Amino acid sequence: MSTPADSDSPIPSGMKVCTSFPELLMIAEFVFGGLVWILVASSRVPFASDQGWLMFVSVFCFVVTTLLLIMYLVGVQKRSSALIVVDVFYHFISAMFYLSVAILETSDTRFRTVFLENKLHNLNIAATVFAYLATLMYTIHAILSILRWKSSS
């Protein structure tokens, strides 16, 4: 039985999350973020503080995206209208975080190319590409979430 509150949330619930846009982007964010996490963990970044930031952002975004996806599947957004605002701010902050990761990984890869000869160079290049793809996914999701938030209020 559906209640009026069930239809109030512009964020879909259940398996509709896996077929609706922009929630479908969460799967791509999950995949690209996981790849960045794996590639950064298996490569060597020339500066230890850079590696720490890269790992923090990739693990943080991976975990929070997973939690949001599970919450959407369960239907928590039906009970709380604040989740729309959380969705907007999370995806905006994640886009900024991943942009910083992509730029940092680019500069580290460039440093490695110029000054160091290393077999792990290809892992850094792949991490850079996937960081830019994750940035793109989070940015698109943030923009669409902002539009959904503005149209629902």
Side-chain angles (χ1 to χ4, degrees), residues 6-101:
D6 289 347
S7 61
D8 287 346
S9 178
I11 301 173
S13 64
M15 291 310 289
K16 290 181 185 176
V17 170
C18 296
T19 60
S20 66
F21 204 73
E23 283 70 38
L24 189 60
L25 291 173
M26 291 180 85
I27 296 169
E29 295 163 4
F30 181 81
V31 170
F32 293 142
L35 287 170
V36 171
W37 178 9
I38 291 167
L39 291 167
V40 168
S42 62
S43 68
R44 289 193 188 109
V45 178
F47 308 106
S49 60
D50 292 357
Q51 179 107 21
W53 177 248
L54 296 170
M55 287 300 293
F56 167 76
V57 170
S58 59
V59 172
F60 172 78
C61 291
F62 186 84
V63 169
V64 175
T65 299
T66 303
L67 290 175
L68 272 178
L69 187 60
I70 290 169
M71 287 172 39
Y72 291 166
L73 287 170
V74 172
V76 173
Q77 68 275 18
K78 292 178 184 178
R79 294 183 289 266
S80 174
S81 61
L83 203 57
I84 296 171
V85 178
V86 170
D87 186 56
V88 169
F89 285 107
Y90 167 68
H91 283 95
F92 178 75
I93 289 170
S94 294
M96 294 300 107
F97 276 2
Y98 261 109
L99 181 61
S100 73
V101 163

Side-chain angles (χ1 to χ4, degrees), residues 128-142:
T128 303
V129 169
F130 287 122
Y132 278 111
L133 287 172
T135 302
L136 180 65
M137 295 299 120
Y138 279 109
T139 303
I140 292 170
H141 198 147

